[in-house]
Amino acid sequence: MRKLLFLILVILSVANVKSQELQCNIQVVSQQIQGTNKQVFRTMQTAVYEFINNRSWTDHVYDQDEKIECNILINLTDQISSDEFKGTMQIQARRPVFNSSFNTVLLNFKDNDIHFKYAEYQALDYNESNTPTSLTALLAFYANIIVGLDYDSFALEGGTPYFTKAEAIVNKMQNAKYPGWKSFESKSNRYWLIENILNNSYRPVRECIYRYHRLGLDKMSDKLTDGRSEIAESLRLLQKAHRAKPGSFILQIFFDAKADELVKIFTESFNDEKKRAYNILSDIDPANLNKYKKILE
């Protein structure tokens, strides 16, 4: 009986390990906060790590080598009280490119306005049905954004269920006193990030994410020219979104992740394709114009 119980526990343990989707490196930095108990920041880092990495964010089974690699850097700049903090959060996520050793960046975003409460050794509990705390709301929001982008890169609008969960978190935080959740506070915060992702006007951006990754990058190891051509065509979808609503937040998010990669991809292309890519990129992302000029060199 004991052997049977032990076997059941082992099987459940293995299943649980496989179901966790994120492999996230967590770093909490507090150099700007002087004269305080540094132990709270170490326990915070551990709590955030366990919350992100030990929780199942989908109903799907992930093997260890399928986990989504990401980094979250929490840079605390102010301690309002013993359990209240302000700062910034840098979120990066990437996914492997099929049949290669290359990882492509899906998200590279800095949230400049995080504000939350955390008490030393506090357990970070989370239930989708309840209103989250200021910290678990932040973490669950970005976990769902990361998972959603990963799914979007493998299937057309495949990330919708997870983006919907992120939107639900934003809705629950509308009465929160902490910033970043409301439309009137900024045009580049959590509210507008998920609003843009789910806005029908920007559906071409999500189609681009799918075609760029699944039909473009994932094919380049076997059919370099065809894969690169698909990426070039996917840029037209971004141009369509840009013409509908110039200067959108979601396009900024895309190019913060992809500008350098696009330069590398098209630098090796033939002249006509280089020119087409450059013309589109310089039109819709003038902030990175100096980078894109390298495509034509």
Side-chain angles (χ1 to χ4, degrees):
M1 183 65 181
R2 287 183 179 178
K3 289 183 178 179
L4 178 60
L5 179 59
F6 176 76
L7 181 59
I8 292 172
L9 290 173
V10 169
I11 292 172
L12 290 175
S13 174
V14 171
N16 188 48
V17 169
K18 282 189 173 184
S19 66
Q20 292 145 5
E21 303 83 2
L22 300 182
Q23 183 172 304
C24 193
N25 178 52
I26 306 294
Q27 187 176 6
V28 175
V29 178
S30 60
Q31 280 89 339
Q32 296 185 53
I33 300 176
Q34 302 297 324
T36 188
N37 172 25
K38 293 295 182 180
Q39 179 62 27
V40 67
F41 304 119
R42 289 188 285 271
T43 63
M44 182 191 299
Q45 179 169 298
T46 299
V48 171
Y49 177 90
E50 292 176 350
F51 181 86
I52 291 289
N53 290 294
N54 295 346
R55 183 175 299 274
S56 296
W57 299 101
T58 77
D59 295 327
H60 301 138
V61 175
Y62 278 61
D63 288 324
Q64 184 64 32
D65 61 353
E66 295 175 330
K67 289 191 175 186
I68 304 166
E69 294 184 5
C70 50
N71 297 297
I72 294 178
L73 171 62
I74 300 173
N75 183 19
L76 299 175
T77 56
D78 294 291
Q79 184 169 7
I80 311 303
S81 65
S82 62
D83 65 347
E84 189 171 352
F85 307 90
K86 294 176 67 176
T88 65
M89 181 184 289
Q90 183 80 38
I91 307 100
Q92 297 175 327
R94 54 195 174 273
R95 85 151 174 85
V97 173
F98 180 73
N99 204 24
S100 79
S101 59
F102 177 65
N103 286 324
T104 182
V105 177
L106 290 170
L107 178 67
N108 184 23
F109 176 61
K110 185 178 182 182
D111 188 326
N112 287 310
D113 207 5
I114 67 169
H115 189 165
F116 61 87
K117 299 189 76 172
Y118 171 79
E120 189 173 354
Y121 300 111
Q122 175 185 342
L124 300 184
D125 297 320
Y126 178 69
N127 186 315
E128 291 180 1
S129 301
N130 300 329
T131 300
T133 68
S134 50
L135 179 54
T136 59
L138 275 170
L139 300 176
F141 175 82
Y142 283 116
N144 279 296
I145 292 293
I146 290 169
V147 172
L149 288 172
D150 187 72
Y151 273 73
D152 260 17
S153 76
F154 283 102
L156 183 59
E157 298 189 8
T160 298
Y162 312 103
F163 294 140
T164 302
K165 290 181 180 182
E167 181 184 43
I169 294 170
V170 170
N171 291 337
K172 289 176 181 177
M173 297 301 288
Q174 288 306 295
N175 293 324
K177 68 176 183 178
Y178 302 109
W181 301 108
K182 303 176 184 68
S183 62
F184 59 84
E185 295 171 334
S186 167
K187 288 297 183 182
S188 56
N189 62 7
R190 279 157 252 137
Y191 176 93
W192 288 109
L193 174 57
I194 193 59
E195 192 280 339
N196 276 203
I197 289 174
L198 291 175
N199 191 319
N200 283 335
S201 297
Y202 300 123
R203 290 184 74 179
V205 178
R206 294 183 65 189
E207 183 180 349
C208 170
I209 290 171
Y210 166 67
R211 291 179 60 178
Y212 181 107
H213 293 92
R214 196 72 188 102
L215 306 182
L217 283 180
D218 283 345
K219 288 189 175 180
M220 287 182 69
S221 63
D222 294 328
K223 297 181 179 180
L224 175 62
T225 302
D226 290 349
R228 189 171 56 213
S229 177
E230 182 62 42
I231 291 173
E233 286 301 310
S234 74
L235 296 180
R236 297 185 186 277
L237 293 165
L238 300 183
Q239 192 172 42
K240 180 180 179 181
H242 171 74
R243 287 174 176 172
K245 290 190 175 182
S248 62
F249 185 33
I250 194 171
L251 285 177
Q252 176 190 327
I253 294 293
F254 181 90
F255 288 115
D256 283 348
K258 294 299 186 184
D260 291 334
E261 183 174 277
L262 284 162
V263 172
K264 292 178 182 178
I265 289 171
F266 290 110
T267 297
E268 303 299 323
S269 184
F270 51 87
N271 286 336
D272 285 348
E273 192 170 66
K274 282 184 177 184
K275 291 177 182 177
R276 289 199 303 272
Y278 172 79
N279 288 338
I280 293 174
L281 292 170
S282 61
D283 174 37
I284 62 181
D285 186 29
N288 285 309
L289 182 60
N290 287 334
K291 290 183 179 181
Y292 299 138
K293 287 179 179 178
K294 296 177 183 178
I295 294 174
L296 301 178
E297 293 177 357

